[in-house]
Amino acid sequence: MSGTPHNLTRALQESDAAHHLHPFTDHQGLARKGVRVITRADGVYLWDSEGHQLLDAMSGLWCVNVGYGRKELDETAARQMTELPYYNTFFQTTHPPVVALSDKLVQVAPAGLDLVSYAGSGSEANDSIAKLVRYYWNLQGQPRKKTIISRHLAYHGVTMAAASMSGLAPMHPQFDLPLPGFAHIAAPYWYGEGGDLSPEDFGRKAAGALERKLLELGPETVAAFIGEPIQGAGGVIIPPDSYWPEIQRICAAYDILLIADEVICGFGRTGAWFGSDSFGIKPDFMTLAKGLTSGYLPMAAVLMGGRVAAAFRAAGEELVHGFTYSGHPVAAAVALRNIEILEDEGLVERAGREIGPYLQARLKELEAHPLIGEVRGRGMIAAMEIVEHKPSRAHFDPRRGAGMICRNHCFENGLVMRAVRDTMVLAPPLTITRAEVDLLIERAAKCLDLTQRDLGR
Ligand code: PXG
């Protein structure tokens, strides 16, 4: 292909429209508008095929925790490709990268989680957990314990089981989901659903929904509860402090397993190594992906501990589960190097004590904007609620597409921020500098002004 950047872009757009079925995309709409072509990245910046620079306040899809352009990760991948590009971990074999990574994961994980199983994506990892939960209760001689309870606005992935656990309503009808054996309770979304309750009272009430659902289904039929410590794709829903301790209590009281989906929260995002550390959660299973490799290669992991790990170790029979790419050597080498970068550069502590608080303080200033009803966040993850009426926390009529208007202004003005309904969400790389945070805020403020103008307010 040759020609001006514009012609090149057009050629790529046409070919893409002809042959590429995109995730979560309306294809007619996309073909009309023309897809955006991203060609290059460095640090916190992306460049598109027209040469525009964008500050990526989403770390790709919540994953590029160490930032783009890390030579250490290229070099590690290249070296591993040369030495052993592939071998599997079935049939009584292993390889050095996966041994080293498992060791490292157990080191950084909350105490007690000491057994790792690998997958290629967060969805696969959650699907694996859905199977392992069944296996655990079958091993215990309690085969009636089957149902997994999750929450509205949850995102756990797109495989049949992971989508069934997800609670974003549009994810189900196209595929006749959820499957039997999955139930949902309300999310701890105080700003949207808390009404007149204080956040703490609302947190207890939202956790109480788990107990009510358990009693409705019969605790003897319930296997596990799954939750993201902070719900990411559902709109960065940060539970009140009263929430997780109550969930933990209910899981213990009714003998159900607790699964922390750390796909977004893991690896420093919340200012601690894991969201479970931030909220004092003691899970039986943890799901890891995204920040595990900072998105440089696809890889996910399931961490287990305590009675679950003990049961699998002692089962005395073959575990009939695993993927061709479970523990892929190149992905494992990159994941290990990525974790070493987080450690060597103190990026998790920086997210918790320095750049995270700075980002949150600067974002909080935007609460003075006429459109912003609430800014909330932890560490390097945050949300801003666009509302029509601040005192009542009333959102705009969804048909006005306030969030989408804002997101489009962001793209046009060199900033990538996602809109979840009318909630603007962001999760920049943990490496972002103060000056880059300032630029992010400057661009976000400008886009909010443009959104306000478009909404005629
Ligand atoms: N769990 C959580 C908490 C996630 O956020 C998954 C599982 C699934 O991971 P995979 O690797 O199978 O995609 C995710 C993924 C969005 C968005 O629009 C979020 C995700 C994926 C795609 C889009 O916010 N999260």
Side-chain angles (χ1 to χ4, degrees):
M1 269 185 283
S2 65
T4 62
H6 193 63
N7 289 341
L8 277 172
T9 302
R10 287 298 297 273
L12 286 166
Q13 286 173 330
E14 280 167 25
S15 179
D16 190 80
H19 305 301
H20 183 184
L21 191 68
H22 287 253
F24 287 79
T25 298
D26 159 9
H27 283 80
Q28 282 184 357
L30 182 67
R32 267 197 306 277
K33 189 161 160 256
V35 70
R36 183 180 299 272
V37 184
I38 302 297
T39 51
R40 179 164 84 77
D42 193 32
V44 298
Y45 295 106
L46 302 167
W47 283 267
D48 71 13
S49 54
E50 310 268 281
H52 301 125
Q53 185 208 55
L54 296 153
L55 196 168
D56 184 7
M58 276 308 297
S59 303
L61 263 182
W62 324 82
C63 55
V64 187
N65 290 16
V66 299
Y68 298 98
R70 287 288 189 156
K71 285 279 167 295
E72 308 92 312
L73 298 184
D74 303 4
E75 285 162 13
T76 299
R79 209 175 317 119
Q80 189 58 45
M81 285 262 188
T82 308
E83 192 150 316
L84 179 71
Y86 176 75
Y87 202 70
N88 65 70
T89 50
F90 286 50
F91 316 130
Q92 305 180 3
T93 61
T94 195
H95 48 72
V98 80
V99 174
L101 177 61
S102 307
D103 213 54
K104 177 59 81 181
L105 284 173
V106 169
Q107 223 179 63
V108 297
L113 297 175
D114 64 354
L115 189 62
V116 194
S117 165
Y118 292 95
S121 67
S123 303
E124 283 179 15
N126 279 329
D127 212 280
S128 300
I129 292 175
K131 290 175 72 181
L132 291 171
V133 160
R134 290 181 174 204
Y135 183 37
Y136 173 76
W137 288 117
N138 288 340
L139 282 171
Q140 300 309 302
Q142 297 204 55
R144 288 190 65 209
K145 280 178 98 65
K146 285 281 181 282
T147 297
I148 297 181
I149 299 178
S150 62
R151 300 175 294 179
H152 297 152
L153 304 177
Y155 190 86
H156 297 297
V158 295
T159 60
M160 296 286 272
S164 294
M165 293 190 262
S166 296
L168 291 161
M171 292 178 70
H172 293 151
Q174 291 175 346
F175 312 105
D176 306 324
L177 295 174
L179 295 172
F182 295 91
H184 297 82
I185 59 172
Y189 180 25
W190 176 78
Y191 191 81
E193 291 159 15
D196 293 334
L197 292 179
S198 71
E200 293 315 304
D201 286 347
F202 177 72
R204 272 184 289 276
K205 181 178 166 208
L210 175 58
E211 192 158 27
R212 291 190 289 282
K213 182 58 87 177
L214 270 159
L215 294 173
E216 174 196 323
L217 298 172
E220 69 286 357
T221 68
V222 178
F225 172 78
I226 183 169
E228 305 152 74
I230 291 174
Q231 288 176 259
V236 183
I237 296 167
I238 304 180
D241 286 340
S242 56
Y243 182 78
W244 275 111
E246 185 60 6
I247 291 284
Q248 187 86 50
R249 184 194 67 76
I250 295 166
C251 288
Y254 294 92
D255 198 22
I256 66 170
L257 298 171
L258 176 53
I259 307 159
D261 182 340
E262 296 266 4
V263 168
I264 286 179
C265 292
F267 301 99
R269 179 57 60 198
T270 66
W273 272 89
F274 298 97
S276 293
D277 299 322
S278 286
F279 292 95
I281 306 166
K282 301 224 173 318
D284 297 289
F285 288 94
M286 240 166 65
T287 322
L288 307 177
K290 295 190 189 278
L292 169 61
T293 60
S294 283
Y296 278 62
L297 282 173
M299 178 177 245
V302 174
L303 248 70
M304 297 153 268
R307 58 178 177 161
V308 170
F312 296 152
R313 285 189 174 109
E317 62 178 2
E318 181 181 336
L319 170 67
V320 190
H321 179 76
F323 305 98
T324 302
Y325 301 126
S326 293
H328 190 283
V330 182
V334 166
L336 178 63
R337 191 74 192 90
N338 171 64
I339 296 170
E340 287 169 356
I341 292 174
L342 290 169
E343 288 181 325
D344 294 348
E345 299 182 10
L347 292 175
V348 179
E349 294 71 26
R350 182 173 182 270
R353 299 214 198 101
E354 192 218 321
I355 196 70
Y358 184 70
L359 172 74
Q360 300 299 341
R362 293 283 348 250
L363 280 170
K364 202 77 181 163
E365 292 169 20
L366 296 175
E367 266 185 5
H369 193 280
L371 284 187
I372 298 300
E374 181 184 64
V375 173
R376 57 175 177 268
R378 276 271 176 134
M380 300 301 284
I381 185 168
M384 297 187 275
E385 295 274 359
I386 297 179
V387 291
E388 182 161 29
H389 186 241
K390 289 196 194 198
S392 63
R393 314 203 293 256
H395 290 98
F396 284 93
D397 181 335
R399 283 169 300 191
R400 301 194 65 189
M404 203 48 76
I405 293 172
C406 184
R407 189 199 76 168
N408 291 340
H409 281 304
C410 289
F411 265 124
E412 294 312 315
N413 288 279
L415 178 63
V416 182
M417 227 178 359
R418 283 249 292 104
V420 177
R421 303 174 300 280
D422 288 347
T423 309
M424 303 309 297
V425 297
L426 62 160
L430 275 46
T431 51
I432 192 170
T433 64
R434 284 185 177 229
E436 287 163 345
V437 168
D438 293 341
L439 183 64
L440 187 167
I441 300 294
E442 186 187 313
R443 290 185 181 172
K446 176 177 176 192
C447 295
L448 289 173
D449 288 345
L450 292 168
T451 305
Q452 186 185 359
R453 183 203 65 191
D454 288 359
L455 290 168
R457 294 203 50 237

